[in-house]
Amino acid sequence: MFVMEFIKGIWSSILKLYLLKCSDARRVRYLRKLGMKIGERCRIRTLKFSTEPYLIELGDHVAVAAGTEFITHDGATWVFEDDVDGGGVFGKIVIGNNVFIGINCIILSNTSVGDNCIIGAGSVVRGQYPENSVIAGNPAQIVSKTGIQRMLSKQNPGLLKTRNLSYREKDKIVKEHFGIK
């Protein structure tokens, strides 16, 4: 029994490493097979979608950066599991359309994020967040509106047009901009 569980664990780890090197489309297909609801044109760079991925919904055009974790249960009930007859507390996570989730975020159960939102790197997110919000911190809070972030991005001297460029082309532009030879 132990040997079989050990082999399953190794196989699961190998599969996840393989999937992290694959295309977004292949990761999305795998996650949908696990029961996740995922919209179109999503970019997913993590596979940390809790033990209940079927409780997670991602809208269209959602980007999830590496290291981000989605947690659909509250493990703290372990402390008083005898009082709740060994029960667990679970909750859905619903992410709207056109949302960016930064690197190393934690998205907790019972969370809903509206359309057109940005979640800053390292944020711990739980609760209800309206559309057009920039969300950051631990605990996460609304720090501004997406329109303000759009304006700041357009005026940022570090804004470089790199979409659809190869790594080599992008590196050339970035190095030239910062005077690196």
Side-chain angles (χ1 to χ4, degrees):
M1 184 74 151
F2 173 76
V3 173
M4 285 304 292
E5 290 300 318
F6 180 73
I7 292 171
K8 278 184 182 178
I10 290 174
W11 176 248
S12 176
S13 296
I14 291 169
L15 176 62
K16 286 182 179 179
L17 285 172
Y18 166 74
L19 285 167
L20 286 172
K21 298 293 182 186
C22 290
S23 68
D24 287 311
R26 183 161 287 173
R27 276 190 293 281
V28 166
R29 278 195 305 274
Y30 168 76
L31 293 166
R32 284 178 177 154
K33 284 182 182 179
L34 296 179
M36 278 184 65
K37 292 180 183 164
I38 304 173
E40 299 301 317
R41 297 183 314 126
C42 291
R43 180 182 294 165
I44 298 174
R45 302 295 159 87
T46 186
L47 290 172
K48 298 177 181 179
F49 289 98
S50 202
T51 52
E52 302 82 27
Y54 47 83
L55 292 176
I56 302 168
E57 297 178 24
L58 303 180
D60 295 331
H61 197 252
V62 172
V64 181
T68 292
E69 293 190 49
F70 290 72
I71 302 173
T72 57
H73 58 275
D74 185 346
T77 57
W78 180 83
V79 172
F80 39 83
E81 68 182 345
D82 293 340
D83 295 338
V84 294
D85 295 324
V89 175
F90 301 87
K92 287 183 126 189
I93 297 172
V94 179
I95 307 297
N97 300 311
N98 199 37
V99 173
F100 175 80
I101 302 173
I103 196 166
N104 292 328
C105 290
I106 299 173
I107 314 297
L108 297 170
S109 61
N110 298 308
T111 292
S112 175
V113 175
D115 295 344
N116 306 311
C117 287
I118 299 168
I119 300 175
S123 296
V124 178
V125 182
R126 182 181 195 143
Q128 312 306 307
Y129 298 88
E131 63 184 21
N132 300 311
S133 297
V134 177
I135 303 157
N138 178 8
Q141 300 176 31
I142 298 170
V143 295
S144 72
K145 291 289 187 188
T146 308
I148 294 170
Q149 186 65 41
R150 178 180 288 116
M151 180 189 67
L152 293 171
S153 294
K154 284 179 161 183
Q155 295 175 357
N156 192 310
L159 178 64
L160 305 174
K161 301 200 185 279
T162 58
R163 182 166 58 183
N164 298 324
L165 296 181
S166 69
Y167 285 114
R168 180 176 284 153
E169 293 168 324
K170 176 200 60 102
D171 285 348
K172 181 181 179 207
I173 289 171
V174 173
K175 286 178 179 180
E176 283 176 4
H177 180 79
F178 287 99
I180 299 170
K181 295 183 184 202

